[in-house]
Amino acid sequence: MRTFDIEKIRADFPILAREVNGRPLVYFDNGATTQKPKQVIEAITRYYADMNSNVHRGVHYLSQISTDAFEVTRRKVQAFIHAEHEHEIIITKGTTEAINIVASCYGRAFINAGDEVIISAMEHHSNIVPWQMLCDEKGCKLRIIPMDDRGELDLEAYKSLFSERTKLVSFTYVSNALGTINPAKEMIDIAHEHDVPVLIDGAQAIQHLAIDVQALDVDFFAFSGHKMYGPTGVGVLYGKEELLNKMPPYQGGGDMIKDVTFEKTTYNELPFKFEAGTPNIEAGICLGDAIDYIEGIGLDAIKAYEDELLDYATSRLSEIDGIRFIGTAKQKSSVISFVVDGVHPYDIGVILDKLGVAVRTGHHCAQPVMNAFDIPGTVRVSLAMYNTKEEVDILIDGLQRALNMLA
């Protein structure tokens, strides 16, 4: 494992040096979005200062260097997730758009009335609502993989959901509300035994776990740049070449065409068929800098450090009287959700904010998860590689103070 220099890493993130309400910022809302290192911030400035131009459609110098930089990111993503071909990498606005592309385009081509789509009980709304919309449009049906009170999926029940009507499985690799790491490879293999393709929502996995889409044999994989220390407004849809070629385009417009007449349009080849219009060029280019940053540290080192921090934070939080953890799966990643008897999560979050500690409270865009545990929401502490045990101790002191005030 590479040397993990936490002080050097923290120095790369300018926002960690600021104060909130007169106290040093302690940022534990990384599941919502991660902070950005100076290497990414400087790359954003450099783009606008040195190369700002549209991509894929200009012969002049600035357009050429912008296009080259944009396509370099595509190749970096390909290597980062171990895709076979760079044209299997579709640049999107984020995980949500990537999932919607599959729901719309694969759904339009291959899912019909009476067919079924399998998702899990722990999905983010972005992996529920697009499928509900498809079911409303097509007259198909959602089937739900149940989970137990630890926040682990019932794989035997999952197996029983398959039939000749099953056309797609879509599930999260890591739950944003529970931290559960699902057995993705096993679940993919089960689906493939029934010749059913699989989409994985990798938004909460991409920054914590090494991803190899070929080893997983996953058909579609979606993630966002802003969860992995990159800009907002950019993400990725990986899809197997064969499936992407069979799917109709998502949107019509510039760059997704080869030839247009009033009588007929011929669509462009992959990946451009799914990239209509001017993309978020700056974010697309600077996502590559975020990947460089992660790879410079090493996902093996990041995971080892975050696992140690997760254990420490869980142990310290266990000292709090009346606390109940929501999500206690054996395999977890960097998320701790909890409630405290007799105290609303929102009240805890407000007081912690006054103390400079940023946590997320509420249903975390996963209302069915909250309904399953019969709670309105949780306090969520989501960790990143720049967090420290000292920050965990500040959280514990602040939480004790909040509970004393609210008792």
Side-chain angles (χ1 to χ4, degrees):
M1 191 180 71
R2 306 180 199 186
T3 301
F4 193 89
D5 188 340
I6 184 61
E7 293 305 320
K8 181 177 183 297
I9 290 169
R10 286 183 62 83
D12 285 337
F13 290 82
I15 202 168
L16 299 182
R18 72 158 296 168
E19 292 187 346
V20 171
N21 293 320
R23 296 172 180 268
L25 170 65
V26 175
Y27 186 79
F28 284 137
D29 195 21
N30 298 288
T33 195
T34 52
Q35 299 300 339
K36 319 308 172 193
K38 60 187 179 183
Q39 291 83 346
V40 170
I41 296 169
E42 290 166 358
I44 292 170
T45 301
R46 189 164 59 248
Y47 165 74
Y48 285 115
D50 294 345
M51 66 175 73
N52 180 43
S53 180
N54 215 324
V55 294
H56 299 144
R57 58 192 72 180
V59 297
H60 62 82
Y61 177 74
L62 291 182
S63 181
Q64 291 296 310
I65 63 173
S66 294
T67 297
D68 290 346
F70 194 84
E71 292 304 314
V72 164
T73 289
R74 197 186 309 274
R75 292 192 289 274
K76 287 179 180 179
V77 172
Q78 176 198 357
F80 190 64
I81 65 172
H82 302 279
E84 184 174 1
H85 306 292
E86 66 180 83
H87 57 255
E88 294 176 315
I89 306 301
I90 312 299
I91 305 299
T92 71
K93 291 189 297 185
T95 307
T96 297
E97 184 178 55
I99 294 171
N100 274 274
I101 289 173
V102 178
S104 176
C105 301
Y106 184 88
R108 195 187 319 161
F110 297 109
I111 299 177
N112 298 299
D115 289 339
E116 297 179 348
V117 174
I118 296 173
I119 63 173
S120 90
M122 64 175 64
E123 298 307 315
H124 187 280
H125 294 166
S126 63
N127 202 26
I128 299 173
V129 179
W131 307 112
Q132 290 176 329
M133 294 168 68
L134 178 68
C135 288
D136 288 343
E137 177 186 345
K138 289 278 196 170
C140 51
K141 183 179 180 181
L142 272 185
R143 304 295 302 277
I144 311 301
I145 311 166
M147 67 177 175
D148 61 22
D149 58 7
R150 293 175 59 91
E152 296 177 332
L153 297 181
D154 184 338
L155 294 191
E156 291 304 312
Y158 170 55
K159 295 174 185 177
S160 73
L161 294 178
F162 286 90
S163 73
E164 70 279 358
R165 296 183 300 276
T166 309
K167 300 301 179 185
L168 187 83
V169 173
S170 186
F171 65 89
T172 184
Y173 202 149
V174 176
S175 166
N176 76 302
L178 305 172
T180 304
I181 303 175
N182 285 316
K185 176 59 176 170
E186 183 179 358
M187 294 176 70
I188 293 165
D189 288 346
I190 291 168
H192 286 176
E193 289 172 4
H194 298 272
D195 296 319
V196 175
V198 176
L199 181 153
I200 287 183
D201 172 356
Q204 298 293 334
I206 192 70
Q207 69 277 47
H208 302 299
L209 307 175
I211 302 298
D212 186 328
V213 294
Q214 291 188 78
L216 287 169
D217 196 23
V218 67
D219 302 280
F220 302 102
F221 191 92
F223 62 92
S224 299
H226 74 100
K227 308 281 191 181
M228 53 184 295
Y229 313 103
T232 58
V234 68
V236 169
L237 171 64
Y238 158 81
K240 288 182 178 177
E241 178 183 40
E242 180 183 5
L243 287 173
L244 292 175
N245 275 326
K246 290 179 179 178
M247 290 160 51
Y250 182 53
Q251 295 176 316
D255 215 32
M256 53 74 67
I257 52 85
K258 279 189 175 179
D259 186 64
V260 176
T261 69
F262 287 116
E263 290 72 36
K264 181 177 175 59
T265 292
T266 303
Y267 301 134
N268 208 341
E269 62 191 11
L270 294 177
F272 309 111
K273 181 174 77 170
F274 294 100
E275 295 182 1
T278 298
N280 188 342
I281 301 167
E282 157 256 305
I285 291 172
C286 298
L287 174 60
D289 295 276
I291 290 173
D292 290 343
Y293 187 80
I294 291 171
E295 291 189 322
I297 299 169
L299 272 168
D300 53 352
I302 291 170
K303 184 178 185 304
Y305 178 79
E306 289 179 342
D307 285 349
E308 180 181 344
L309 193 62
L310 178 66
D311 289 343
Y312 181 78
T314 303
S315 176
R316 288 298 326 269
L317 285 164
S318 298
E319 300 169 7
I320 304 294
D321 290 338
I323 198 169
R324 176 163 68 102
F325 293 110
I326 307 299
T328 55
K330 292 179 182 177
Q331 298 295 323
K332 287 191 62 174
S333 177
S334 296
V335 169
I336 307 171
S337 270
F338 64 89
V339 294
V340 179
D341 291 343
V343 182
H344 198 284
Y346 176 83
D347 295 333
I348 293 174
V350 168
I351 294 175
L352 286 176
D353 177 62
K354 298 298 183 184
L355 301 174
V357 180
V359 296
R360 179 70 47 159
T361 65
H363 55 64
H364 317 301
C365 293
Q367 284 181 286
V369 173
M370 302 302 127
N371 293 339
F373 287 94
D374 195 28
I375 53 176
T378 70
V379 179
R380 184 185 71 183
V381 175
S382 49
L383 306 170
M385 61 176 166
Y386 43 63
N387 291 129
T388 66
K389 291 180 180 178
E390 290 75 17
E391 289 182 316
V392 172
D393 293 338
I394 292 170
L395 166 70
I396 299 303
D397 290 344
L399 183 55
Q400 290 281 18
R401 183 172 173 180
L403 295 178
N404 289 339
M405 294 172 64
L406 295 167

